[in-house]
Amino acid sequence: MKFRSPCPINFGLEHFGDKWSLLILRDLMFKGRRHYNEFLSGPERVSTSVLRDKLKLLEIGGIVSKSQDNVKKSRIRYSLTEKGIRLLPFMVELILWSAQYDPDTVARPHYVAWAKRDREELINEESERLRREHL
């Protein structure tokens, strides 16, 4: 994959720097969504073409992988890779920032309190959960 510049901010943006990619990561990390139709069911109403393109971009970037579903063989199951799981600290920071500045946030208060109290513990435990579920 060739990028526009060697800037580290640009590198991140090229991989996941748009609304839809971050919402897919949210769904995989925090909502337990793993299948194409589950991503489509989100309240943000992503179009099928955008979803297809973003999943492909995340796969090419090594952030997600896809495989045959264990239950229904004709269905594709998406999983975070280790590279994707390592985005958890970024996602936690985004949750905390939003919880502070969005008066209408639906961030779970106990999760925000845990992150504020012991961010390292939260990230370690959540990372281990994601590894068990995805790798």
Side-chain angles (χ1 to χ4, degrees):
M1 207 168 176
K2 185 74 172 152
F3 300 114
R4 295 179 197 154
S5 80
C7 168
I9 301 289
N10 182 70
F11 182 83
L13 291 173
E14 293 280 349
H15 279 84
F16 54 84
D18 65 86
K19 169 184 175 176
W20 298 114
S21 295
L22 291 174
L23 291 172
I24 291 167
L25 290 173
R26 174 208 62 192
D27 287 351
L28 286 163
M29 286 183 179
F30 305 112
K31 299 202 177 271
R33 295 180 180 150
R34 303 291 291 276
H35 302 97
Y36 191 84
N37 286 338
E38 292 173 330
F39 298 126
L40 285 175
S41 71
E44 296 85 9
R45 314 301 292 166
V46 64
S47 73
T48 57
S49 61
V50 168
L51 178 59
R52 180 193 66 236
D53 293 347
K54 297 307 172 184
L55 283 167
K56 187 67 176 165
L57 184 67
L58 290 168
E59 184 184 7
I60 289 169
I63 295 168
V64 301
S65 64
K66 67 180 184 177
S67 61
Q68 188 178 53
D69 187 72
N70 296 334
V71 176
K72 189 174 181 183
K73 302 296 182 196
S74 63
R75 193 165 61 165
I76 299 295
R77 179 180 171 111
Y78 291 90
S79 298
L80 291 165
T81 62
E82 181 62 31
K83 186 176 179 180
I85 292 169
R86 292 186 55 95
L87 288 168
L88 180 65
F90 170 77
M91 297 295 279
V92 168
E93 290 302 320
L94 190 55
I95 290 167
L96 289 173
W97 183 86
S98 296
Q100 181 175 351
Y101 293 106
D102 178 7
D104 299 319
T105 189
V106 296
R108 296 175 297 185
H110 74 279
Y111 194 88
V112 171
W114 184 17
K116 287 179 179 178
R117 182 180 66 255
D118 194 341
R119 195 166 301 160
E120 185 176 343
E121 177 189 67
L122 177 138
I123 289 169
N124 288 338
E125 287 191 26
E126 288 287 89
S127 294
E128 285 307 311
R129 176 186 61 79
L130 290 171
R131 285 185 185 98
R132 283 191 307 274
E133 293 175 2
H134 289 266
L135 301 181

